Amino acid sequence: MRSKIVAGNWKMNKNLQETESLLAELSAKLPDTGAEVMVAPTFVNLTNAVRCLGASTIQVIAQNMHFADNGAFTGEISAEMLLNIKVDTVIIGHSERRAYFGETDEVLAKKVTAALTKNMRVMFCFGEELEDRKSGNHFNIVESQLRNALFSLDAKAWGNIILAYEPVWAIGTGETASPEQAQEMHAFIRKTIGDVYDVGIANNVSILYGGSVKPANAEEIFSKPDVDGGLIGGASLNADDFVAIIKAI
Ligand code: PGA
């Protein structure tokens, strides 16, 4: 179901005490916008994050998972383990996982399938590199990332998919796609899904924008018709900035 979503990807930041104090501050200041609000702390702090949020509407989500149910995969975390601690949404395909940890479309497709099989929601990230945009290849790249990881899924699986378009050149760089560039790509993504599946599915999927979203630019980006919210990195590490971005939705 298409909903407005603002999600904070904390990446490898915030120790236990910092996690608890940021969540306490966020809960206290959380505006009621009707949007879903999610935070993705590091794995070691997920259990405590869930506990300390209690009945808050803020959802705790994971930054990654492995596709296997269990077994000899040193350093990895399974869907079962996440569900067991009440984390039922997972980010898959973040550009940092692709770039630094060698996650290919093939691996990502397995992760997506594994998560969906367990009834988890998947926040699937994808986006082009700067050279792709400069050479005008960005639509092709995005289409192939979606095709390779998602277009073999059953139509009904799309009810548990959230998309996050994150142009790599805008992540952590301070450089943001213009609201027009974001809208143009989001409309392309929706049309592509409509062509491969149907317009109903395309219109029901939430498509978030990510890449240097800040309080100063959030409102303009979120005002675009095909932008359903944001995946926020750096600015989600500060409660006031994150709350300002939530208000912008
Ligand atoms: P950023 O990160 O907001 O710091 O650019 C976004 C992301 O990586 O999801």
Side-chain angles (χ1 to χ4, degrees), residues 104-131:
T104 59
D105 286 353
E106 195 187 358
V107 166
L108 298 175
K110 285 187 181 179
K111 290 187 177 204
V112 168
T113 303
L116 293 173
T117 304
K118 304 282 179 201
N119 272 327
M120 293 186 79
R121 280 169 101 191
V122 169
M123 184 181 291
F124 185 76
C125 302
F126 55 96
E128 82 281 1
E129 315 241 352
L130 187 57
E131 306 82 74

Side-chain angles (χ1 to χ4, degrees), residues 98 105-106 108-109 124 126 139-153 158 163 188-189 192-193 196-197:
R98 295 173 189 259
D105 286 353
E106 195 187 358
L108 298 175
F124 185 76
F126 55 96
F139 294 113
N140 287 337
I141 293 288
V142 161
E143 209 254 287
S144 77
Q145 288 171 327
L146 292 174
R147 182 174 0 96
N148 294 341
L150 304 180
F151 287 168
S152 307
L153 296 171
W158 281 81
L163 298 178
F188 168 78
I189 294 162
T192 305
I193 297 168
V196 174
Y197 290 89

